[in-house]
Amino acid sequence: MAGALSFLLPLSSFFVVSCADYNTTDDFTAQPDPAFVEPYKDLAPIKSYIDRSNYPNMTIGATLKVTDFNKQELAHAAAVTNFDNLAFGSTLMSGSIINSKGVMNFLDMKDLLDHVQEIGGEVFGSPIVANSFQADDWLSLLTAPVEIVVDYVEGKSVNYNDMTTFDGTIERGKASIVKYDGQNALKIGTSANVRIIEGFEVDPFATYTTTFWAKADKNATFNVTFSGNKITGSGANGRFTFPAGKWTKIVVEGKAAEGVTDGYLRIENALSCDIYIQKVEVGYYPDNHRPQTAQEMKDTINYALNTWCDGVMRINEGRIKSFDLIDEAIDTKAELENGMYDLKHSTEKIFWQDILGSENYAPVVSRIASGAFEKNGGNPSELKFFISETGLENQKTFESLKYWINIWDANGAKIDGINAKLNLRYSEDETKQAVNKATLDNLLDNLASTGKQIRLSNFDIKYLDADGTNVAAKDITEVQRQKLADYYGYVIKSYMAKIPHEKQAGICKGNLADTGDPVGLWSVDSSSKDWVRNAVYKAFCDALSGK
């Protein structure tokens, strides 16, 4: 079972137009220039405010869609000018790259990596594996049951030549045993619905063949239903037909309708004429598939993982050096006997951990991904893997993640850090906001205690009024925006203070500009759609510089 591998080389080039010095990044000039107005027009790019001598590992990142970045428009200009590195989320995960037949389209990924390399930027790699945004159709194809050879099974038969009375099911109209053409036969009247064979159990996956001999004095037309499933004939409107005056062998093939276990074949006669039936036989070919064995399934998943990692790392060529290895593995609705949360499992989709085993999940993925990275030109001493998880402000979720990381570490996994995906709110209610701050401080203390490198991502903060209602971007006041900006600054300063300098892997912004919520460093002008720096932009600059 091999999936085709395709690298679609980009034909586009990068044409750059000169603009303000503000947008200059190394030898690259971003275009167009992100708009700015008083009182923030004199601020420099955000990343320039980091004190690299005291915080050598501190970085500030931005999250973009691949398509938005490759357009080289406003979001691209803001990102490459102001941020150390870029993350592309689900748009660089297997679900966006691999189609249902296993063809991998790395056109956009190659385009952006070539450009980032050209301008001296960096990319933080999307999760190697996860439970969401995976190539589910491809994995389902690879793990589908195996086709096998099966023998025909003879089933029930009924010979109406040997009967004098009919005791079968008549759903409508009339049917009886009569003398016809010198022998006994089942007569089915016009407009009658009659089961000519029944009383056997059906295999829901098997294909059944029902054979019977029929005769009529006129050309006959009728419908056929097999165990709740209407079978299409070769006549007009999907009916079955046979000519008048001779015994004709009728063969009907079909499966039972979903959920039907009672086996039968029903003749639904038309108005044309009476139909006479002799011997009826039914048999079937059992389902000619079997599930893959545990070893076959393991081999298949290892093939898929090797194919995916080799494809990613071949395009990467060692350029992305830090990746999320596994994303959101913890299931907060399932507990182990020791009280820790279990990993997520599924009976409907293929989850890597269900095949590789929970305790070997990260060890296997890190081994295969590391090997592919080195094989395709990467320096293994530069490679870093993070485990990304959401909801870590919950103590039990954090303890559960630490539990699983300890198991994976012990089993040989390469896990360098934790990527904590934030879910932050600012509240005008002072009591609630005090709880928000305390929760954040506790999260950072917990993360620091792991001894791993710590990255914060999804760094967006929503604004809630005193009643707990979201304040929209279009409604937020300057005073409210400043309160929000102050909290952004608090988060950055707390991270830089609580996470040891050598363990800081940076903070990654979620949205650069406002969405429906005021989450951006830029507001969006309602008329011109220009991006306008707001107080959050200044808060980033001040916090990163230590003010």
Side-chain angles (χ1 to χ4, degrees):
M1 291 172 286
L5 188 61
S6 174
F7 302 106
L8 306 181
L9 298 180
L11 300 177
S12 60
S13 299
F14 298 99
F15 298 96
V16 179
V17 180
S18 177
C19 60
D21 288 341
Y22 162 80
N23 261 337
T24 300
T25 302
D26 297 330
D27 295 326
F28 173 78
T29 304
Q31 165 68 16
D33 185 7
F36 53 91
V37 296
E38 295 283 8
Y40 307 116
K41 74 172 187 177
D42 294 326
L43 291 173
I46 291 169
K47 63 186 178 183
S48 67
Y49 287 90
I50 299 174
D51 182 354
R52 308 287 179 181
S53 60
N54 288 324
Y55 299 92
N57 297 316
M58 180 61 190
T59 64
I60 192 74
T63 305
L64 291 175
K65 293 180 180 178
V66 172
T67 51
D68 289 341
F69 180 79
N70 283 345
K71 288 177 184 176
Q72 295 193 32
E73 295 177 351
L74 199 55
H76 164 276
V80 301
T81 301
N82 288 281
F83 297 89
D84 292 303
N85 54 67
L86 307 170
F88 294 95
S90 63
T91 57
L92 285 186
M93 293 173 69
S94 64
S96 299
I97 290 174
I98 308 177
N99 72 11
S100 61
K101 298 190 177 182
V103 176
M104 300 185 182
N105 182 355
F106 288 103
L107 173 62
D108 287 339
M109 182 174 178
K110 186 178 189 305
D111 223 358
L112 77 87
L113 285 178
D114 288 348
H115 181 44
V116 170
Q117 183 178 27
E118 174 190 358
I119 65 176
E122 293 182 0
V123 172
F124 186 90
S126 297
I128 302 293
V129 294
N131 301 315
S132 301
F133 304 108
Q134 296 296 278
D136 294 325
D137 290 342
W138 180 52
L139 293 176
S140 295
L141 175 66
L142 291 178
T143 57
V146 178
E147 191 170 302
I148 58 175
V149 176
V150 295
D151 295 324
Y152 184 78
V153 178
E154 292 186 359
K156 188 173 183 178
S157 64
V158 177
N159 189 348
Y160 291 113
N161 295 147
D162 298 333
M163 295 184 180
T164 56
T165 59
F166 178 66
D167 58 2
T169 301
I170 303 172
E171 298 182 7
R172 188 179 71 180
K174 296 181 179 180
S176 61
I177 303 296
V178 299
K179 202 76 169 180
Y180 179 75
D181 205 15
Q183 57 192 328
N184 287 353
L186 172 62
K187 177 184 177 182
I188 300 176
T190 58
S191 300
N193 291 351
V194 180
R195 298 186 180 188
I196 64 173
I197 191 167
E198 60 184 326
F200 56 94
E201 291 188 1
V202 291
D203 179 342
F205 300 105
T207 298
Y208 284 78
T209 300
T210 306
T211 304
F212 59 94
W213 290 88
K215 186 177 180 181
D217 297 329
K218 298 180 181 179
N219 292 338
T221 62
F222 57 96
N223 290 319
V224 171
T225 295
F226 180 81
S227 295
N229 184 23
K230 183 177 180 180
I231 308 301
T232 301
S234 59
N237 299 318
R239 291 183 174 182
F240 284 76
T241 66
F242 64 89
K246 64 177 183 178
W247 289 101
T248 301
K249 183 180 181 180
I250 309 294
V251 178
V252 178
E253 292 190 342
K255 294 184 176 182
E258 183 176 356
V260 176
T261 58
D262 181 26
Y264 65 87
L265 186 135
R266 182 175 66 224
I267 296 292
E268 300 159 11
N269 197 8
L271 294 170
S272 56
C273 59
D274 296 334
I275 294 176
Y276 299 87
I277 305 293
Q278 291 189 21
K279 186 175 182 181
V280 184
E281 297 176 337
V282 64
Y284 64 97
Y285 284 98
D287 180 26
N288 64 335
H289 297 85
R290 63 161 177 79
Q292 294 186 29
T293 65
Q295 186 59 51
E296 287 171 336
M297 189 72 80
K298 185 176 180 180
D299 292 343
T300 298
I301 288 301
N302 271 280
Y303 159 79
L305 185 57
N306 274 279
T307 301
W308 165 237
C309 289
D310 190 59
V312 169
M313 297 307 181
R314 194 183 308 176
I315 286 295
N316 182 41
E317 298 176 333
R319 292 176 286 190
I320 302 175
K321 298 174 174 60
S322 295
F323 292 84
D324 277 337
L325 184 72
I326 292 172
D327 182 51
E328 297 190 18
I330 303 299
D331 185 353
T332 58
K333 297 179 180 179
E335 286 189 2
L336 300 170
E337 291 183 357
N338 62 7
M340 294 292 102
Y341 288 133
D342 195 1
L343 300 187
K344 293 173 182 174
H345 299 283
S346 177
T347 58
E348 298 177 355
K349 299 198 304 183
I350 298 297
F351 279 10
W352 303 94
Q353 60 269 33
D354 290 336
I355 312 301
L356 301 175
S358 295
E359 296 188 356
N360 288 318
Y361 184 23
V364 171
V365 177
S366 67
R367 173 179 55 80
I368 291 175
S370 297
F373 179 81
E374 184 174 1
K375 183 178 80 171
N376 290 283
N379 182 345
S381 67
E382 298 177 331
L383 178 62
K384 296 178 181 178
F385 286 141
F386 291 73
I387 304 297
S388 58
E389 189 57 69
T390 188
L392 293 178
E393 64 277 4
N394 177 279
Q395 188 67 25
K396 185 171 179 177
T397 303
F398 169 76
E399 293 292 344
S400 298
L401 179 64
K402 189 166 71 170
Y403 165 80
W404 282 107
I405 287 177
N406 288 338
I407 289 176
W408 293 334
D409 279 341
N411 288 341
K414 175 179 172 55
I415 300 173
D416 301 284
I418 296 172
N419 182 9
K421 301 166 82 169
L422 302 176
N423 183 27
L424 300 179
R425 302 285 189 274
Y426 174 84
S427 176
E428 288 183 348
D429 183 297
E430 293 184 1
T431 301
K432 291 180 180 178
Q433 183 55 21
V435 171
N436 289 340
K437 285 186 174 182
T439 300
L440 171 72
D441 290 340
N442 184 64
L443 168 63
L444 293 173
D445 288 337
N446 281 339
L447 292 171
S449 73
T450 65
K452 298 288 187 182
Q453 294 186 34
I454 302 301
R455 181 176 189 264
L456 304 182
S457 61
N458 193 38
F459 185 30
D460 288 347
I461 305 177
K462 294 186 177 181
Y463 192 101
L464 306 181
D465 65 17
D467 295 325
T469 302
N470 270 8
V471 175
K474 65 182 179 62
D475 299 323
I476 195 166
T477 66
E478 289 186 13
V479 172
Q480 290 173 320
R481 179 79 75 172
Q482 186 59 57
K483 291 179 180 179
L484 183 61
D486 291 343
Y487 190 39
Y488 270 105
Y490 178 84
V491 174
I492 295 171
K493 290 178 182 179
S494 297
Y495 171 83
M496 296 175 73
K498 290 178 175 293
I499 305 300
H501 293 193
E502 71 277 8
K503 298 299 182 181
Q504 293 177 4
I507 300 175
C508 187
K509 189 70 176 71
N511 290 282
L512 301 186
D514 284 350
T515 59
D517 294 305
V519 292
L521 295 89
W522 288 266
S523 303
V524 180
D525 186 271
S526 58
S527 300
S528 68
K529 304 303 179 184
D530 284 339
W531 286 19
V532 181
R533 292 177 183 177
N534 61 43
V536 176
Y537 187 104
K538 185 176 187 300
F540 268 66
C541 298
D542 290 345
L544 291 170
S545 64
K547 291 182 181 179

